[in-house]
Amino acid sequence: DLVNNAEVMFETPQTVIPAHRDAGRRADSSEDPLNAIVRWCSVRAKESGDALRDMRLAIKDSVAIAGIPMTLGSATFQDFTPTIDSVVTERLLQAGAQIVATSNLDAFAFSGGADTSDNGWTSNPHDPERSAGGSSGGSAAGLYYHEVIDAAIGCDQGGSIRLPSAWCGVVGLKPTHGLVPYT
């Protein structure tokens, strides 16, 4: 029954924003010492608005970006590539943002700082021996790559944006319930 519900969730009609989509490559430790990035990529809408023009974003590796592999922090999904964009991805692309990376997270976004990602744990930018927090730790720590990332998207149901942002010393915002849908 759980599988059937998952299939229904992904059958929900969604659009794919016409965009240049380069799936890029996995990040390596020489360019990502915090292990904040799962994949460097490039996604930019062919036609878009100006509200976020030239903003370079990292998107948590649990948010669907059509054509870009998504792991959900688990080896189980290493070969999964979404065929649709999430609503937040659609909105960002329509506003002119460029997606440059997917960010690390705890497996299935289930944590509280336990660092359970099959992609390895994300280090805190202030003390690499400490955690960046979970589950959006890669989004928070990735903001320290100023030359590449201007902002990051995470997901928060129980503190998954708020904890990593506090632990990493960046601003995190959990939108009002219902403002940004979970699809």
Side-chain angles (χ1 to χ4, degrees):
D1 188 38
L2 185 59
V3 172
N4 290 337
N5 288 337
E7 289 172 2
V8 169
M9 180 179 74
F10 287 108
E11 289 176 0
T12 304
Q14 301 253 336
T15 60
V16 175
I17 299 297
H20 163 77
R21 295 172 189 269
D22 180 354
R25 61 184 170 74
R26 294 293 296 249
D28 66 50
S29 60
S30 67
E31 64 193 348
D32 178 23
L34 300 173
N35 197 35
I37 305 302
V38 173
R39 170 173 295 279
W40 297 110
C41 61
S42 178
V43 181
R44 179 174 283 197
K46 292 181 179 174
E47 294 181 23
S48 62
D50 292 328
L52 297 177
R53 174 86 48 217
D54 298 325
M55 289 288 294
R56 299 164 303 173
L57 302 179
I59 305 291
K60 186 174 180 177
D61 193 37
S62 63
V63 178
I65 307 166
I68 307 300
M70 180 170 77
T71 70
L72 295 128
S74 172
T76 304
F77 285 93
Q78 293 295 321
D79 296 323
F80 175 66
T81 300
T83 57
I84 60 171
D85 287 320
S86 67
V87 172
V88 79
T89 298
E90 289 177 10
R91 291 177 183 177
L92 291 167
L93 292 173
Q94 289 170 341
Q98 178 183 10
I99 300 168
V100 298
T102 59
S103 58
N104 201 3
L105 70 148
D106 293 316
F108 305 110
F110 184 73
S111 166
D115 301 306
T116 61
S117 178
D118 285 343
N119 296 313
W121 83 309
T122 302
S123 296
N124 188 297
H126 301 290
D127 181 353
E129 299 298 315
R130 296 181 187 264
S131 171
S135 71
S136 297
S139 295
L143 293 173
Y144 283 85
Y145 301 149
H146 303 289
E147 66 281 353
V148 183
I149 298 170
D150 298 313
I153 297 296
C155 303
D156 188 321
Q157 292 185 19
S160 294
I161 290 174
R162 295 164 287 164
L163 291 172
S165 64
W167 291 10
C168 293
V170 297
V171 175
L173 171 69
K174 178 181 178 179
T176 302
H177 182 71
L179 184 63
V180 178
Y182 280 103
T183 57

Short mmCIF file of all heavy atoms in Angstrom, two decimals, residues 71-137:
data_model
loop_
_atom_site.label_atom_id
_atom_site.label_comp_id
_atom_site.label_asym_id
_atom_site.label_seq_id
_atom_site.Cartn_x
_atom_site.Cartn_y
_atom_site.Cartn_z
N THR A 71 19.15 11.71 -4.60
CA THR A 71 19.42 10.54 -3.76
C THR A 71 18.58 10.46 -2.50
O THR A 71 18.50 9.40 -1.89
CB THR A 71 20.90 10.52 -3.32
OG1 THR A 71 21.12 11.58 -2.38
CG2 THR A 71 21.84 10.64 -4.50
N LEU A 72 18.00 11.57 -2.05
CA LEU A 72 17.30 11.62 -0.76
C LEU A 72 18.22 11.19 0.39
O LEU A 72 17.78 10.72 1.41
CB LEU A 72 16.05 10.75 -0.78
CG LEU A 72 14.98 11.24 -1.75
CD1 LEU A 72 14.52 10.14 -2.66
CD2 LEU A 72 13.83 11.84 -1.00
N GLY A 73 19.54 11.34 0.18
CA GLY A 73 20.50 10.97 1.22
C GLY A 73 20.65 9.48 1.44
O GLY A 73 21.22 9.05 2.42
N SER A 74 20.15 8.68 0.52
CA SER A 74 20.13 7.23 0.70
C SER A 74 20.69 6.50 -0.52
O SER A 74 20.39 6.86 -1.66
CB SER A 74 18.69 6.77 0.93
OG SER A 74 18.61 5.36 0.92
N ALA A 75 21.44 5.45 -0.26
CA ALA A 75 21.95 4.61 -1.35
C ALA A 75 20.81 3.95 -2.12
O ALA A 75 20.96 3.61 -3.29
CB ALA A 75 22.90 3.55 -0.79
N THR A 76 19.67 3.80 -1.48
CA THR A 76 18.50 3.19 -2.12
C THR A 76 18.09 3.95 -3.37
O THR A 76 17.63 3.36 -4.34
CB THR A 76 17.31 3.15 -1.13
OG1 THR A 76 17.72 2.46 0.04
CG2 THR A 76 16.09 2.49 -1.73
N PHE A 77 18.28 5.27 -3.38
CA PHE A 77 17.83 6.11 -4.50
C PHE A 77 18.97 6.64 -5.37
O PHE A 77 18.78 7.60 -6.11
CB PHE A 77 16.99 7.28 -3.98
CG PHE A 77 15.62 6.87 -3.54
CD1 PHE A 77 15.37 6.53 -2.23
CD2 PHE A 77 14.58 6.79 -4.46
CE1 PHE A 77 14.10 6.14 -1.82
CE2 PHE A 77 13.32 6.40 -4.06
CZ PHE A 77 13.08 6.06 -2.74
N GLN A 78 20.15 6.03 -5.31
CA GLN A 78 21.29 6.54 -6.06
C GLN A 78 21.04 6.63 -7.56
O GLN A 78 21.66 7.43 -8.24
CB GLN A 78 22.53 5.69 -5.79
CG GLN A 78 23.04 5.77 -4.38
CD GLN A 78 23.55 7.16 -3.99
OE1 GLN A 78 24.19 7.84 -4.76
NE2 GLN A 78 23.25 7.56 -2.77
N ASP A 79 20.13 5.83 -8.10
CA ASP A 79 19.87 5.83 -9.54
C ASP A 79 18.55 6.51 -9.92
O ASP A 79 18.09 6.38 -11.05
CB ASP A 79 19.86 4.39 -10.07
CG ASP A 79 21.20 3.72 -9.91
OD1 ASP A 79 22.23 4.41 -10.08
OD2 ASP A 79 21.24 2.51 -9.60
N PHE A 80 17.95 7.27 -9.00
CA PHE A 80 16.66 7.91 -9.25
C PHE A 80 16.85 9.30 -9.84
O PHE A 80 17.62 10.10 -9.32
CB PHE A 80 15.85 7.99 -7.95
CG PHE A 80 14.55 8.74 -8.10
CD1 PHE A 80 13.54 8.24 -8.90
CD2 PHE A 80 14.36 9.94 -7.46
CE1 PHE A 80 12.34 8.93 -9.05
CE2 PHE A 80 13.16 10.64 -7.59
CZ PHE A 80 12.16 10.13 -8.39
N THR A 81 16.13 9.57 -10.93
CA THR A 81 16.13 10.91 -11.52
C THR A 81 14.69 11.33 -11.73
O THR A 81 13.96 10.68 -12.49
CB THR A 81 16.89 10.91 -12.87
OG1 THR A 81 18.23 10.50 -12.64
CG2 THR A 81 16.88 12.30 -13.48
N PRO A 82 14.24 12.42 -11.07
CA PRO A 82 12.87 12.88 -11.25
C PRO A 82 12.59 13.29 -12.70
O PRO A 82 13.49 13.78 -13.40
CB PRO A 82 12.78 14.10 -10.34
CG PRO A 82 13.90 13.97 -9.38
CD PRO A 82 14.98 13.23 -10.11
N THR A 83 11.35 13.11 -13.11
CA THR A 83 10.94 13.52 -14.46
C THR A 83 10.08 14.78 -14.42
O THR A 83 9.68 15.28 -15.47
CB THR A 83 10.15 12.39 -15.15
OG1 THR A 83 9.03 12.06 -14.33
CG2 THR A 83 11.03 11.17 -15.36
N ILE A 84 9.79 15.27 -13.21
CA ILE A 84 9.02 16.50 -13.04
C ILE A 84 9.75 17.42 -12.07
O ILE A 84 10.61 16.99 -11.31
CB ILE A 84 7.59 16.22 -12.50
CG1 ILE A 84 7.67 15.54 -11.13
CG2 ILE A 84 6.78 15.41 -13.49
CD1 ILE A 84 6.34 15.40 -10.42
N ASP A 85 9.39 18.69 -12.13
CA ASP A 85 9.91 19.67 -11.18
C ASP A 85 8.94 19.79 -10.01
O ASP A 85 7.72 19.75 -10.19
CB ASP A 85 10.02 21.05 -11.83
CG ASP A 85 11.15 21.16 -12.82
OD1 ASP A 85 12.22 20.61 -12.55
OD2 ASP A 85 10.95 21.81 -13.87
N SER A 86 9.50 19.95 -8.81
CA SER A 86 8.66 20.27 -7.65
C SER A 86 8.09 21.67 -7.86
O SER A 86 8.58 22.44 -8.69
CB SER A 86 9.48 20.23 -6.37
OG SER A 86 10.43 21.29 -6.39
N VAL A 87 7.07 22.01 -7.11
CA VAL A 87 6.48 23.34 -7.20
C VAL A 87 7.51 24.42 -6.87
O VAL A 87 7.60 25.43 -7.56
CB VAL A 87 5.23 23.46 -6.28
CG1 VAL A 87 4.73 24.89 -6.24
CG2 VAL A 87 4.14 22.51 -6.76
N VAL A 88 8.31 24.19 -5.84
CA VAL A 88 9.30 25.21 -5.47
C VAL A 88 10.35 25.37 -6.57
O VAL A 88 10.78 26.48 -6.88
CB VAL A 88 9.93 24.93 -4.08
CG1 VAL A 88 10.99 23.85 -4.14
CG2 VAL A 88 10.48 26.19 -3.46
N THR A 89 10.73 24.27 -7.22
CA THR A 89 11.67 24.35 -8.35
C THR A 89 11.06 25.16 -9.48
O THR A 89 11.70 26.05 -10.05
CB THR A 89 12.06 22.95 -8.84
OG1 THR A 89 12.71 22.24 -7.78
CG2 THR A 89 12.97 23.00 -10.05
N GLU A 90 9.80 24.87 -9.83
CA GLU A 90 9.10 25.64 -10.87
C GLU A 90 9.13 27.13 -10.56
O GLU A 90 9.45 27.95 -11.41
CB GLU A 90 7.64 25.20 -10.97
CG GLU A 90 7.40 23.84 -11.56
CD GLU A 90 5.92 23.48 -11.54
OE1 GLU A 90 5.06 24.35 -11.25
OE2 GLU A 90 5.60 22.32 -11.82
N ARG A 91 8.76 27.48 -9.33
CA ARG A 91 8.68 28.89 -8.95
C ARG A 91 10.03 29.59 -9.00
O ARG A 91 10.15 30.73 -9.43
CB ARG A 91 8.06 29.02 -7.56
CG ARG A 91 6.58 28.64 -7.55
CD ARG A 91 6.00 28.71 -6.16
NE ARG A 91 4.61 28.28 -6.16
CZ ARG A 91 3.87 28.18 -5.07
NH1 ARG A 91 4.37 28.49 -3.89
NH2 ARG A 91 2.62 27.79 -5.15
N LEU A 92 11.07 28.89 -8.54
CA LEU A 92 12.41 29.48 -8.56
C LEU A 92 12.89 29.71 -9.99
O LEU A 92 13.43 30.77 -10.31
CB LEU A 92 13.40 28.57 -7.82
CG LEU A 92 13.20 28.49 -6.31
CD1 LEU A 92 14.00 27.35 -5.73
CD2 LEU A 92 13.55 29.81 -5.64
N LEU A 93 12.69 28.72 -10.85
CA LEU A 93 13.11 28.86 -12.24
C LEU A 93 12.32 29.96 -12.95
O LEU A 93 12.89 30.76 -13.70
CB LEU A 93 12.97 27.53 -12.99
CG LEU A 93 13.94 26.43 -12.55
CD1 LEU A 93 13.59 25.11 -13.24
CD2 LEU A 93 15.38 26.82 -12.81
N GLN A 94 11.03 30.03 -12.70
CA GLN A 94 10.20 31.08 -13.31
C GLN A 94 10.63 32.48 -12.85
O GLN A 94 10.48 33.45 -13.59
CB GLN A 94 8.73 30.85 -12.99
CG GLN A 94 8.14 29.68 -13.72
CD GLN A 94 6.75 29.30 -13.24
OE1 GLN A 94 6.33 29.66 -12.15
NE2 GLN A 94 6.04 28.55 -14.07
N ALA A 95 11.18 32.58 -11.65
CA ALA A 95 11.62 33.87 -11.12
C ALA A 95 13.04 34.23 -11.56
O ALA A 95 13.53 35.31 -11.23
CB ALA A 95 11.55 33.85 -9.59
N GLY A 96 13.71 33.35 -12.31
CA GLY A 96 15.01 33.67 -12.87
C GLY A 96 16.21 33.07 -12.16
O GLY A 96 17.35 33.32 -12.55
N ALA A 97 16.01 32.29 -11.11
CA ALA A 97 17.13 31.69 -10.39
C ALA A 97 17.81 30.62 -11.23
O ALA A 97 17.20 30.00 -12.10
CB ALA A 97 16.65 31.07 -9.08
N GLN A 98 19.10 30.39 -10.93
CA GLN A 98 19.84 29.29 -11.54
C GLN A 98 20.16 28.29 -10.44
O GLN A 98 20.69 28.67 -9.39
CB GLN A 98 21.14 29.77 -12.17
CG GLN A 98 21.94 28.62 -12.76
CD GLN A 98 23.28 29.05 -13.35
OE1 GLN A 98 23.72 30.17 -13.17
NE2 GLN A 98 23.92 28.14 -14.04
N ILE A 99 19.84 27.03 -10.65
CA ILE A 99 20.16 25.97 -9.69
C ILE A 99 21.55 25.46 -10.05
O ILE A 99 21.79 25.01 -11.17
CB ILE A 99 19.12 24.85 -9.72
CG1 ILE A 99 17.74 25.41 -9.37
CG2 ILE A 99 19.51 23.72 -8.77
CD1 ILE A 99 16.58 24.48 -9.63
N VAL A 100 22.49 25.55 -9.09
CA VAL A 100 23.88 25.19 -9.35
C VAL A 100 24.33 23.94 -8.59
O VAL A 100 25.41 23.42 -8.86
CB VAL A 100 24.84 26.36 -9.05
CG1 VAL A 100 24.54 27.55 -9.96
CG2 VAL A 100 24.79 26.75 -7.58
N ALA A 101 23.51 23.49 -7.63
CA ALA A 101 23.92 22.33 -6.82
C ALA A 101 22.73 21.71 -6.13
O ALA A 101 21.71 22.36 -5.91
CB ALA A 101 24.95 22.75 -5.78
N THR A 102 22.88 20.43 -5.78
CA THR A 102 21.95 19.80 -4.84
C THR A 102 22.74 19.59 -3.55
O THR A 102 23.92 19.25 -3.58
CB THR A 102 21.39 18.46 -5.37
OG1 THR A 102 22.45 17.55 -5.63
CG2 THR A 102 20.56 18.69 -6.63
N SER A 103 22.08 19.82 -2.42
CA SER A 103 22.78 19.80 -1.13
C SER A 103 22.49 18.53 -0.34
O SER A 103 21.41 17.94 -0.43
CB SER A 103 22.44 21.04 -0.31
OG SER A 103 21.05 21.13 -0.09
N ASN A 104 23.47 18.15 0.46
CA ASN A 104 23.43 16.93 1.25
C ASN A 104 22.36 17.01 2.34
O ASN A 104 22.02 18.10 2.81
CB ASN A 104 24.80 16.68 1.88
CG ASN A 104 25.02 15.24 2.27
OD1 ASN A 104 24.19 14.36 2.04
ND2 ASN A 104 26.17 14.98 2.88
N LEU A 105 21.85 15.88 2.74
CA LEU A 105 20.84 15.79 3.79
C LEU A 105 20.95 14.44 4.47
O LEU A 105 21.55 13.51 3.93
CB LEU A 105 19.43 15.95 3.22
CG LEU A 105 18.91 14.79 2.35
CD1 LEU A 105 17.42 14.67 2.52
CD2 LEU A 105 19.28 15.00 0.90
N ASP A 106 20.35 14.32 5.64
CA ASP A 106 20.28 13.03 6.31
C ASP A 106 19.36 12.11 5.51
O ASP A 106 18.45 12.58 4.83
CB ASP A 106 19.76 13.20 7.73
CG ASP A 106 20.75 13.96 8.59
OD1 ASP A 106 21.95 13.67 8.50
OD2 ASP A 106 20.32 14.85 9.33
N ALA A 107 19.59 10.82 5.59
CA ALA A 107 18.81 9.85 4.82
C ALA A 107 17.32 10.09 5.02
O ALA A 107 16.83 10.14 6.14
CB ALA A 107 19.19 8.43 5.23
N PHE A 108 16.65 10.26 3.89
CA PHE A 108 15.20 10.49 3.84
C PHE A 108 14.78 11.71 4.65
O PHE A 108 13.63 11.82 5.06
CB PHE A 108 14.43 9.25 4.29
CG PHE A 108 14.80 8.02 3.52
CD1 PHE A 108 15.50 6.98 4.11
CD2 PHE A 108 14.46 7.90 2.18
CE1 PHE A 108 15.86 5.85 3.39
CE2 PHE A 108 14.82 6.77 1.45
CZ PHE A 108 15.51 5.75 2.06
N ALA A 109 15.70 12.64 4.90
CA ALA A 109 15.44 13.88 5.66
C ALA A 109 14.98 13.58 7.08
O ALA A 109 14.27 14.36 7.69
CB ALA A 109 14.44 14.77 4.92
N PHE A 110 15.41 12.45 7.60
CA PHE A 110 14.99 12.03 8.94
C PHE A 110 16.18 12.10 9.87
O PHE A 110 17.13 11.35 9.72
CB PHE A 110 14.43 10.61 8.90
CG PHE A 110 13.90 10.14 10.21
CD1 PHE A 110 12.71 10.63 10.69
CD2 PHE A 110 14.61 9.22 10.97
CE1 PHE A 110 12.22 10.20 11.91
CE2 PHE A 110 14.13 8.79 12.19
CZ PHE A 110 12.92 9.28 12.67
N SER A 111 16.16 13.05 10.80
CA SER A 111 17.32 13.20 11.65
C SER A 111 17.03 13.98 12.90
O SER A 111 16.32 13.57 13.77
CB SER A 111 18.43 13.87 10.86
OG SER A 111 19.45 14.31 11.72
N GLY A 112 17.60 15.16 12.93
CA GLY A 112 17.65 16.01 14.10
C GLY A 112 19.11 16.24 14.45
O GLY A 112 19.46 16.67 15.53
N GLY A 113 19.99 15.94 13.50
CA GLY A 113 21.41 16.14 13.69
C GLY A 113 22.20 14.86 13.80
O GLY A 113 23.36 14.87 14.16
N ALA A 114 21.58 13.73 13.48
CA ALA A 114 22.25 12.44 13.63
C ALA A 114 23.21 12.13 12.50
O ALA A 114 24.00 11.21 12.60
CB ALA A 114 21.20 11.33 13.74
N ASP A 115 23.17 12.88 11.43
CA ASP A 115 24.08 12.70 10.30
C ASP A 115 24.04 11.29 9.74
O ASP A 115 25.01 10.54 9.80
CB ASP A 115 25.50 13.10 10.69
CG ASP A 115 25.56 14.55 11.13
OD1 ASP A 115 25.11 15.40 10.36
OD2 ASP A 115 26.02 14.80 12.24
N THR A 116 22.91 10.94 9.17
CA THR A 116 22.68 9.59 8.68
C THR A 116 22.80 9.46 7.17
O THR A 116 22.46 8.42 6.63
CB THR A 116 21.27 9.13 9.10
OG1 THR A 116 20.30 10.02 8.51
CG2 THR A 116 21.11 9.11 10.61
N SER A 117 23.28 10.47 6.47
CA SER A 117 23.33 10.43 5.01
C SER A 117 24.27 9.35 4.50
O SER A 117 25.40 9.22 4.97
CB SER A 117 23.80 11.78 4.46
OG SER A 117 23.89 11.72 3.05
N ASP A 118 23.81 8.60 3.50
CA ASP A 118 24.68 7.64 2.83
C ASP A 118 25.71 8.36 1.96
O ASP A 118 26.63 7.74 1.45
CB ASP A 118 23.86 6.67 1.98
CG ASP A 118 23.14 5.63 2.83
OD1 ASP A 118 23.50 5.44 4.01
OD2 ASP A 118 22.19 5.00 2.31
N ASN A 119 25.55 9.68 1.78
CA ASN A 119 26.52 10.49 1.06
C ASN A 119 27.61 11.01 1.99
O ASN A 119 28.45 11.79 1.58
CB ASN A 119 25.83 11.67 0.37
CG ASN A 119 24.85 11.20 -0.70
OD1 ASN A 119 25.18 10.34 -1.51
ND2 ASN A 119 23.66 11.75 -0.68
N GLY A 120 27.57 10.62 3.25
CA GLY A 120 28.53 11.09 4.25
C GLY A 120 27.97 12.27 5.03
O GLY A 120 27.03 12.92 4.60
N TRP A 121 28.53 12.51 6.20
CA TRP A 121 28.00 13.58 7.03
C TRP A 121 28.53 14.94 6.59
O TRP A 121 29.59 15.06 5.98
CB TRP A 121 28.26 13.30 8.51
CG TRP A 121 29.62 13.69 9.03
CD1 TRP A 121 30.83 13.37 8.51
CD2 TRP A 121 29.86 14.47 10.19
NE1 TRP A 121 31.82 13.89 9.28
CE2 TRP A 121 31.26 14.58 10.32
CE3 TRP A 121 29.06 15.09 11.14
CZ2 TRP A 121 31.86 15.29 11.35
CZ3 TRP A 121 29.65 15.78 12.17
CH2 TRP A 121 31.02 15.89 12.26
N THR A 122 27.76 15.99 6.88
CA THR A 122 28.13 17.36 6.54
C THR A 122 28.78 18.01 7.74
O THR A 122 28.21 18.03 8.84
CB THR A 122 26.89 18.16 6.10
OG1 THR A 122 26.29 17.50 4.98
CG2 THR A 122 27.25 19.57 5.72
N SER A 123 29.96 18.57 7.54
CA SER A 123 30.70 19.23 8.62
C SER A 123 30.21 20.66 8.84
O SER A 123 29.80 21.35 7.91
CB SER A 123 32.19 19.29 8.27
OG SER A 123 32.73 17.99 8.18
N ASN A 124 30.33 21.10 10.08
CA ASN A 124 29.99 22.46 10.44
C ASN A 124 31.09 23.39 9.93
O ASN A 124 32.28 23.12 10.13
CB ASN A 124 29.87 22.57 11.97
CG ASN A 124 29.32 23.89 12.40
OD1 ASN A 124 29.93 24.93 12.17
ND2 ASN A 124 28.17 23.85 13.05
N PRO A 125 30.75 24.50 9.26
CA PRO A 125 31.77 25.39 8.72
C PRO A 125 32.64 26.07 9.78
O PRO A 125 33.75 26.50 9.48
CB PRO A 125 30.98 26.42 7.92
CG PRO A 125 29.58 26.25 8.31
CD PRO A 125 29.40 24.90 8.90
N HIS A 126 32.16 26.14 11.02
CA HIS A 126 32.92 26.78 12.09
C HIS A 126 33.83 25.80 12.82
O HIS A 126 34.83 26.20 13.42
CB HIS A 126 31.98 27.44 13.08
CG HIS A 126 31.11 28.47 12.43
ND1 HIS A 126 31.59 29.67 11.96
CD2 HIS A 126 29.79 28.46 12.13
CE1 HIS A 126 30.61 30.35 11.42
NE2 HIS A 126 29.51 29.65 11.50
N ASP A 127 33.51 24.53 12.77
CA ASP A 127 34.32 23.48 13.40
C ASP A 127 34.04 22.18 12.66
O ASP A 127 33.03 21.52 12.93
CB ASP A 127 33.98 23.35 14.89
CG ASP A 127 34.82 22.29 15.59
OD1 ASP A 127 35.58 21.55 14.92
OD2 ASP A 127 34.70 22.18 16.82
N PRO A 128 34.90 21.80 11.72
CA PRO A 128 34.66 20.62 10.89
C PRO A 128 34.51 19.31 11.67
O PRO A 128 34.03 18.33 11.12
CB PRO A 128 35.88 20.56 9.97
CG PRO A 128 36.41 21.96 9.96
CD PRO A 128 36.09 22.52 11.30
N GLU A 129 34.88 19.30 12.93
CA GLU A 129 34.71 18.10 13.75
C GLU A 129 33.28 17.99 14.28
O GLU A 129 32.90 16.98 14.85
CB GLU A 129 35.69 18.10 14.92
CG GLU A 129 37.15 18.10 14.48
CD GLU A 129 37.51 16.86 13.68
OE1 GLU A 129 37.13 15.75 14.09
OE2 GLU A 129 38.16 17.01 12.63
N ARG A 130 32.49 19.04 14.08
CA ARG A 130 31.10 19.06 14.55
C ARG A 130 30.14 19.02 13.36
O ARG A 130 30.50 19.33 12.24
CB ARG A 130 30.84 20.32 15.38
CG ARG A 130 31.65 20.36 16.66
CD ARG A 130 31.31 21.61 17.46
NE ARG A 130 32.20 21.72 18.60
CZ ARG A 130 31.90 21.31 19.82
NH1 ARG A 130 30.73 20.75 20.06
NH2 ARG A 130 32.76 21.47 20.80
N SER A 131 28.92 18.65 13.66
CA SER A 131 27.88 18.51 12.66
C SER A 131 27.33 19.87 12.21
O SER A 131 27.27 20.81 12.98
CB SER A 131 26.73 17.68 13.24
OG SER A 131 25.62 17.68 12.38
N ALA A 132 26.90 19.91 10.96
CA ALA A 132 26.17 21.07 10.45
C ALA A 132 24.71 21.01 10.87
O ALA A 132 23.97 21.96 10.68
CB ALA A 132 26.27 21.13 8.93
N GLY A 133 24.29 19.89 11.45
CA GLY A 133 22.88 19.73 11.84
C GLY A 133 22.09 19.04 10.74
O GLY A 133 22.54 18.90 9.62
N GLY A 134 20.91 18.61 11.11
CA GLY A 134 20.10 17.88 10.13
C GLY A 134 18.67 18.37 10.13
O GLY A 134 18.27 19.05 11.05
N SER A 135 17.94 18.14 9.12
CA SER A 135 18.36 17.35 7.97
C SER A 135 18.83 18.21 6.80
O SER A 135 19.40 17.70 5.86
CB SER A 135 17.21 16.45 7.51
OG SER A 135 16.17 17.19 6.90
N SER A 136 18.63 19.52 6.85
CA SER A 136 19.07 20.41 5.77
C SER A 136 20.47 20.97 6.02
O SER A 136 20.78 22.09 5.63
CB SER A 136 18.07 21.56 5.60
OG SER A 136 16.80 21.09 5.22
N GLY A 137 21.34 20.17 6.64
CA GLY A 137 22.69 20.62 6.96
C GLY A 137 23.50 21.02 5.75
O GLY A 137 24.28 21.97 5.79
#
